[in-house]
PDB file of all heavy atoms in Angstrom:
ATOM      1  N   VAL A 169     -31.769  34.838  -2.402  1.00 96.00           N
ATOM      2  CA  VAL A 169     -31.273  33.489  -2.159  1.00 96.00           C
ATOM      3  C   VAL A 169     -29.812  33.390  -2.569  1.00 96.00           C
ATOM      4  O   VAL A 169     -29.425  33.905  -3.619  1.00 96.00           O
ATOM      5  CB  VAL A 169     -32.091  32.447  -2.958  1.00 96.00           C
ATOM      6  CG1 VAL A 169     -31.604  31.029  -2.684  1.00 96.00           C
ATOM      7  CG2 VAL A 169     -33.580  32.572  -2.674  1.00 96.00           C
ATOM      8  N   LEU A 170     -29.029  32.712  -1.749  1.00 96.00           N
ATOM      9  CA  LEU A 170     -27.674  32.317  -2.092  1.00 96.00           C
ATOM     10  C   LEU A 170     -27.654  30.798  -2.139  1.00 96.00           C
ATOM     11  O   LEU A 170     -28.180  30.138  -1.233  1.00 96.00           O
ATOM     12  CB  LEU A 170     -26.678  32.801  -1.039  1.00 96.00           C
ATOM     13  CG  LEU A 170     -26.459  34.297  -0.971  1.00 96.00           C
ATOM     14  CD1 LEU A 170     -25.702  34.665   0.299  1.00 96.00           C
ATOM     15  CD2 LEU A 170     -25.696  34.771  -2.189  1.00 96.00           C
ATOM     16  N   VAL A 171     -27.075  30.242  -3.187  1.00 97.00           N
ATOM     17  CA  VAL A 171     -27.018  28.791  -3.352  1.00 97.00           C
ATOM     18  C   VAL A 171     -25.561  28.359  -3.406  1.00 97.00           C
ATOM     19  O   VAL A 171     -24.758  28.958  -4.134  1.00 97.00           O
ATOM     20  CB  VAL A 171     -27.752  28.348  -4.640  1.00 97.00           C
ATOM     21  CG1 VAL A 171     -27.586  26.856  -4.870  1.00 97.00           C
ATOM     22  CG2 VAL A 171     -29.221  28.724  -4.565  1.00 97.00           C
ATOM     23  N   TYR A 172     -25.216  27.325  -2.643  1.00 97.00           N
ATOM     24  CA  TYR A 172     -23.865  26.760  -2.608  1.00 97.00           C
ATOM     25  C   TYR A 172     -23.963  25.289  -2.992  1.00 97.00           C
ATOM     26  O   TYR A 172     -24.627  24.509  -2.306  1.00 97.00           O
ATOM     27  CB  TYR A 172     -23.246  26.902  -1.215  1.00 97.00           C
ATOM     28  CG  TYR A 172     -21.826  26.404  -1.148  1.00 97.00           C
ATOM     29  CD1 TYR A 172     -20.768  27.255  -1.429  1.00 97.00           C
ATOM     30  CD2 TYR A 172     -21.551  25.081  -0.827  1.00 97.00           C
ATOM     31  CE1 TYR A 172     -19.462  26.797  -1.390  1.00 97.00           C
ATOM     32  CE2 TYR A 172     -20.246  24.612  -0.788  1.00 97.00           C
ATOM     33  CZ  TYR A 172     -19.205  25.473  -1.068  1.00 97.00           C
ATOM     34  OH  TYR A 172     -17.908  25.020  -1.037  1.00 97.00           O
ATOM     35  N   VAL A 173     -23.310  24.905  -4.086  1.00 97.00           N
ATOM     36  CA  VAL A 173     -23.371  23.525  -4.564  1.00 97.00           C
ATOM     37  C   VAL A 173     -22.376  22.658  -3.795  1.00 97.00           C
ATOM     38  O   VAL A 173     -21.187  22.988  -3.710  1.00 97.00           O
ATOM     39  CB  VAL A 173     -23.100  23.450  -6.088  1.00 97.00           C
ATOM     40  CG1 VAL A 173     -23.150  22.001  -6.567  1.00 97.00           C
ATOM     41  CG2 VAL A 173     -24.098  24.307  -6.850  1.00 97.00           C
ATOM     42  N   LEU A 174     -22.877  21.564  -3.250  1.00 98.00           N
ATOM     43  CA  LEU A 174     -22.061  20.630  -2.476  1.00 98.00           C
ATOM     44  C   LEU A 174     -21.557  19.466  -3.321  1.00 98.00           C
ATOM     45  O   LEU A 174     -20.397  19.058  -3.187  1.00 98.00           O
ATOM     46  CB  LEU A 174     -22.874  20.073  -1.298  1.00 98.00           C
ATOM     47  CG  LEU A 174     -23.352  21.080  -0.267  1.00 98.00           C
ATOM     48  CD1 LEU A 174     -24.401  20.445   0.645  1.00 98.00           C
ATOM     49  CD2 LEU A 174     -22.171  21.608   0.537  1.00 98.00           C
ATOM     50  N   GLU A 175     -22.438  18.894  -4.154  1.00 98.00           N
ATOM     51  CA  GLU A 175     -22.100  17.708  -4.955  1.00 98.00           C
ATOM     52  C   GLU A 175     -22.806  17.783  -6.294  1.00 98.00           C
ATOM     53  O   GLU A 175     -23.900  18.351  -6.400  1.00 98.00           O
ATOM     54  CB  GLU A 175     -22.593  16.421  -4.266  1.00 98.00           C
ATOM     55  CG  GLU A 175     -21.978  16.110  -2.947  1.00 98.00           C
ATOM     56  CD  GLU A 175     -22.604  14.876  -2.291  1.00 98.00           C
ATOM     57  OE1 GLU A 175     -23.309  14.099  -2.989  1.00 98.00           O
ATOM     58  OE2 GLU A 175     -22.404  14.707  -1.086  1.00 98.00           O
ATOM     59  N   GLY A 176     -22.230  17.151  -7.299  1.00 98.00           N
ATOM     60  CA  GLY A 176     -22.851  17.092  -8.616  1.00 98.00           C
ATOM     61  C   GLY A 176     -22.815  18.435  -9.310  1.00 98.00           C
ATOM     62  O   GLY A 176     -22.021  19.317  -8.961  1.00 98.00           O
ATOM     63  N   GLU A 177     -23.701  18.590 -10.289  1.00 98.00           N
ATOM     64  CA  GLU A 177     -23.791  19.837 -11.036  1.00 98.00           C
ATOM     65  C   GLU A 177     -25.246  20.248 -11.176  1.00 98.00           C
ATOM     66  O   GLU A 177     -26.110  19.430 -11.492  1.00 98.00           O
ATOM     67  CB  GLU A 177     -23.163  19.696 -12.422  1.00 98.00           C
ATOM     68  CG  GLU A 177     -21.661  19.519 -12.372  1.00 98.00           C
ATOM     69  CD  GLU A 177     -21.044  19.546 -13.747  1.00 98.00           C
ATOM     70  OE1 GLU A 177     -21.620  18.945 -14.687  1.00 98.00           O
ATOM     71  OE2 GLU A 177     -19.974  20.170 -13.891  1.00 98.00           O
ATOM     72  N   VAL A 178     -25.492  21.545 -10.954  1.00 98.00           N
ATOM     73  CA  VAL A 178     -26.822  22.117 -11.029  1.00 98.00           C
ATOM     74  C   VAL A 178     -26.849  23.123 -12.174  1.00 98.00           C
ATOM     75  O   VAL A 178     -25.956  23.965 -12.278  1.00 98.00           O
ATOM     76  CB  VAL A 178     -27.178  22.830  -9.701  1.00 98.00           C
ATOM     77  CG1 VAL A 178     -28.516  23.530  -9.788  1.00 98.00           C
ATOM     78  CG2 VAL A 178     -27.152  21.845  -8.543  1.00 98.00           C
ATOM     79  N   VAL A 179     -27.868  23.014 -13.029  1.00 98.00           N
ATOM     80  CA  VAL A 179     -28.061  23.979 -14.109  1.00 98.00           C
ATOM     81  C   VAL A 179     -29.129  24.959 -13.643  1.00 98.00           C
ATOM     82  O   VAL A 179     -30.193  24.543 -13.178  1.00 98.00           O
ATOM     83  CB  VAL A 179     -28.508  23.286 -15.410  1.00 98.00           C
ATOM     84  CG1 VAL A 179     -28.736  24.311 -16.523  1.00 98.00           C
ATOM     85  CG2 VAL A 179     -27.473  22.239 -15.840  1.00 98.00           C
ATOM     86  N   ALA A 180     -28.832  26.264 -13.749  1.00 98.00           N
ATOM     87  CA  ALA A 180     -29.775  27.278 -13.283  1.00 98.00           C
ATOM     88  C   ALA A 180     -29.808  28.449 -14.255  1.00 98.00           C
ATOM     89  O   ALA A 180     -28.814  28.778 -14.901  1.00 98.00           O
ATOM     90  CB  ALA A 180     -29.380  27.770 -11.894  1.00 98.00           C
ATOM     91  N   LYS A 181     -30.972  29.061 -14.332  1.00 98.00           N
ATOM     92  CA  LYS A 181     -31.140  30.321 -15.049  1.00 98.00           C
ATOM     93  C   LYS A 181     -32.064  31.181 -14.208  1.00 98.00           C
ATOM     94  O   LYS A 181     -33.175  30.789 -13.897  1.00 98.00           O
ATOM     95  CB  LYS A 181     -31.733  30.137 -16.434  1.00 98.00           C
ATOM     96  CG  LYS A 181     -31.878  31.480 -17.162  1.00 98.00           C
ATOM     97  CD  LYS A 181     -32.501  31.340 -18.524  1.00 98.00           C
ATOM     98  CE  LYS A 181     -32.597  32.650 -19.256  1.00 98.00           C
ATOM     99  NZ  LYS A 181     -32.858  33.844 -18.492  1.00 98.00           N
ATOM    100  N   ILE A 182     -31.557  32.355 -13.836  1.00 97.00           N
ATOM    101  CA  ILE A 182     -32.309  33.312 -13.041  1.00 97.00           C
ATOM    102  C   ILE A 182     -32.648  34.480 -13.960  1.00 97.00           C
ATOM    103  O   ILE A 182     -31.851  34.850 -14.829  1.00 97.00           O
ATOM    104  CB  ILE A 182     -31.467  33.809 -11.843  1.00 97.00           C
ATOM    105  CG1 ILE A 182     -30.856  32.631 -11.063  1.00 97.00           C
ATOM    106  CG2 ILE A 182     -32.302  34.703 -10.933  1.00 97.00           C
ATOM    107  CD1 ILE A 182     -31.826  31.602 -10.564  1.00 97.00           C
ATOM    108  N   THR A 183     -33.810  35.075 -13.785  1.00 95.00           N
ATOM    109  CA  THR A 183     -34.233  36.223 -14.593  1.00 95.00           C
ATOM    110  C   THR A 183     -33.052  37.155 -14.857  1.00 95.00           C
ATOM    111  O   THR A 183     -32.351  37.548 -13.934  1.00 95.00           O
ATOM    112  CB  THR A 183     -35.328  37.019 -13.859  1.00 95.00           C
ATOM    113  OG1 THR A 183     -36.420  36.158 -13.579  1.00 95.00           O
ATOM    114  CG2 THR A 183     -35.812  38.195 -14.694  1.00 95.00           C
ATOM    115  N   GLY A 184     -32.847  37.482 -16.131  1.00 93.00           N
ATOM    116  CA  GLY A 184     -31.805  38.433 -16.499  1.00 93.00           C
ATOM    117  C   GLY A 184     -30.409  37.863 -16.614  1.00 93.00           C
ATOM    118  O   GLY A 184     -29.469  38.586 -16.919  1.00 93.00           O
TER     119      GLY A 184
END
Side-chain angles (χ1 to χ4, degrees):
V169 181
L170 291 167
V171 175
Y172 183 89
V173 179
L174 298 167
E175 297 176 15
E177 292 187 318
V178 176
V179 179
K181 181 182 182 325
I182 310 304
T183 302

